[in-house]
Amino acid sequence: SWKLVLEEKHPDMLHILGFPYNGEPPKRLVTSKPITPNPLHFVRNHGGIPIIEKENYSFRVDGLVSLPATFTLDDLMDETRFPRMKKHITMQCSGTRRIEQITRYPGQGDELPQAPWAEGAIGTAEYEGVSLKKVIKACGGLVNGGKHLEFFGADTYFKENECMNYRVSVPWAKVKANEVMLAWNMNGEPLPRIHGYPLRIVVFGYIGARSVKWLYRVQAITAPTRAPVQSKEYLYFAQQVGKYNFRLTDGIQIQEMPVSSAIMSPWTKQVVIHEGSIHCKGWAYSGGGRWPERVELSADGGFSWYTVPPENLSKKRKWTWRWIDVLVRCWDNALNTQVPDVRTAWNWGLHVTSSCHTINVYSVN
Ligand code: MTE
Ligand code: MO
């Protein structure tokens, strides 16, 4: 997979895990453009990257559908059968900013290899494809209590000599709302191999984990899949839960991310030379189709907040270095917001780090 990483990804990517390959762009490049260039989009893999050729490719729809069927890419691209769909979608891993929780306490990391993501496990692309709803309709719709759709990814292997399908599911209601896409293009180009070539699922507003790459099967089922990625990973535990008292059934399956934001520049330990104001750059996002409505910055540990763009974050003091904590918080359109400190957000699985992002900079003026 390293050959692919070198071919498809930006040379400045930070390699978070070597195998399975996981990488994110460095801070200064996370928010360099509103649409993340493909080579800079983060990569999250649970196994090896399969090499699938378009000519040999098809995927199957079966389970609780009237007419199980197999589709090739040409079938999907036939506009007389399926209308095209193009959408700008932000993909966020629920492990984004996990490093902040690890710093407090390592959590589940000693049991599951958990990628120590910083703020870059989020990216936005324009995906093109067709709505999964139309494909299910072409299979005659769901039958006999079909309520969830399970997606299978063709990842090659997980550990040496150990192969496991990447499998997750989403409720039919999500598909019915035309919020699940079968995508073959990313920013106007065929999906890079590392991002699921030739076809992936893109679930709008859900954690990245539901957007299965290298799709080879869609199965209609009655209840959320019991496959490991859905039932053992991406669970949100209460804060008292740890190594000796955790029960998988007590975890909430994470679907939509809460509102969150992060400062991409300046960064912690950077020396910022300024004349009374510091320009902060960063991102804000809310899951489930909610959008960031207001972004605020605080220079006093979260007591007072300034609406972006902040005019003056620093107080003047001559000849000295100063340590400023800059916090960012976002409000979405439902007026949800973020808790100030990562200690409040800490959980055993180290997911959903949506507390206020804080940087410490040396301020020189
Ligand atoms: N699909 C397959 N087949 N295998 C995987 O390991 N990882 C998921 C999802 N789809 C994964 C997958 C997770 S956890 C995330 S966050 C997104 O892919 C990341 O998508 P990207 O690598 O295109 O950024
Ligand atoms: Mo993820």
Side-chain angles (χ1 to χ4, degrees):
S1 62
W2 280 109
K3 196 172 159 268
L4 269 181
V5 174
L6 296 175
E7 272 171 32
E8 297 191 339
K9 303 312 291 182
H10 194 282
D12 292 349
M13 285 290 278
L14 305 173
H15 308 308
I16 304 291
L17 283 181
F19 184 86
Y21 179 74
N22 284 260
E24 70 173 86
K27 269 186 217 291
R28 70 180 198 289
L29 297 177
V30 174
T31 42
S32 53
K33 300 226 173 74
I35 306 288
T36 316
N38 291 351
L40 282 172
H41 196 282
F42 81 99
V43 179
R44 168 71 173 123
N45 291 328
H46 289 69
I49 301 156
I51 304 295
I52 304 170
E53 297 315 332
K54 198 177 133 183
E55 301 73 51
N56 313 326
Y57 174 76
S58 67
F59 72 96
R60 183 154 180 80
V61 182
D62 58 13
L64 301 173
V65 292
S66 294
L67 306 161
T70 297
F71 299 88
T72 64
L73 221 49
D74 285 341
D75 293 333
L76 291 190
M77 289 177 175
D78 180 352
E79 286 185 85
T80 64
R81 294 184 66 188
F82 303 110
R84 290 280 166 92
M85 195 179 200
K86 250 192 203 175
K87 271 249 172 346
H88 289 102
I89 299 296
T90 294
M91 179 114 34
Q92 185 184 21
C93 184
S94 63
T96 311
R97 296 175 52 204
R98 170 175 285 143
I99 190 71
E100 295 166 46
Q101 292 196 54
I102 291 177
T103 311
R104 293 291 177 166
Y105 188 74
Q108 209 178 5
D110 58 347
E111 313 215 318
L112 278 173
Q114 285 181 309
W117 298 112
E119 308 86 1
I122 184 167
T124 301
E126 185 192 55
Y127 293 96
E128 183 177 358
V130 299
S131 173
L132 176 59
K133 181 190 185 175
K134 308 280 182 210
V135 175
I136 299 295
K137 293 285 174 208
C139 297
L142 300 185
V143 292
N144 296 336
K147 283 216 172 70
H148 294 260
L149 292 173
E150 185 179 32
F151 311 132
F152 292 63
D155 312 54
T156 52
Y157 60 93
F158 282 75
K159 289 179 199 147
E160 223 158 342
N161 305 320
E162 197 181 305
C163 197
M164 182 184 77
N165 290 129
Y166 186 90
R167 273 160 67 194
V168 294
S169 67
V170 300
W172 164 245
K174 187 74 181 163
V175 179
K176 199 175 160 198
N178 285 313
E179 290 168 2
V180 181
M181 191 197 286
L182 295 161
W184 58 77
N185 267 7
M186 184 177 181
N187 294 329
E189 289 167 18
L191 283 174
R193 289 196 187 278
I194 235 167
H195 292 289
Y197 182 86
L199 192 73
R200 80 176 298 170
I201 294 278
V202 178
V203 183
F204 311 166
Y206 273 18
I207 58 169
R210 305 291 177 249
S211 294
V212 172
K213 306 193 271 190
W214 316 292
L215 181 77
Y216 77 88
R217 184 178 174 199
V218 175
Q219 186 183 211
I221 52 180
T222 56
T225 177
R226 310 259 286 268
V229 176
Q230 183 107 5
S231 63
K232 297 201 172 101
E233 290 180 53
Y234 299 97
L235 297 177
Y236 199 74
F237 291 108
Q239 222 169 24
Q240 298 77 12
V241 170
K243 188 169 185 166
Y244 300 105
N245 66 346
F246 86 99
R247 291 182 304 182
L248 291 175
T249 46
D250 289 340
I252 299 170
Q253 287 188 2
I254 306 165
Q255 300 285 46
E256 298 175 353
M257 287 294 280
V259 66
S260 66
S261 51
I263 302 160
M264 294 297 91
S265 88
W267 45 83
T268 288
K269 294 187 178 140
Q270 187 180 355
V271 175
V272 181
I273 299 168
H274 64 91
E275 288 177 348
S277 72
I278 297 173
H279 283 269
C280 293
K281 212 171 162 181
W283 56 257
Y285 171 75
S286 188
R290 296 173 294 274
W291 58 85
E293 188 81 24
R294 179 185 294 154
V295 178
E296 299 170 319
L297 293 167
S298 170
D300 63 2
F303 289 100
S304 35
W305 292 90
Y306 299 87
T307 301
V308 168
E311 288 312 317
N312 197 335
L313 284 176
S314 67
K315 278 192 275 165
K316 264 197 176 159
R317 198 187 291 153
K318 246 181 171 176
W319 311 121
T320 61
W321 291 68
R322 276 183 298 156
W323 186 258
I324 307 177
D325 285 347
V326 183
L327 277 70
V328 64
R329 80 175 173 197
C330 175
W331 298 81
D332 72 13
N333 59 318
L335 300 185
N336 298 304
T337 193
Q338 305 173 243
V339 298
D341 195 291
V342 71
R343 282 175 297 183
T344 315
W346 190 92
N347 62 96
W348 176 242
L350 307 171
H351 290 289
V352 191
T353 317
S354 62
S355 46
C356 293
H357 187 246
T358 304
I359 57 166
N360 317 112
V361 296
Y362 297 102
S363 157
V364 184
N365 55 25

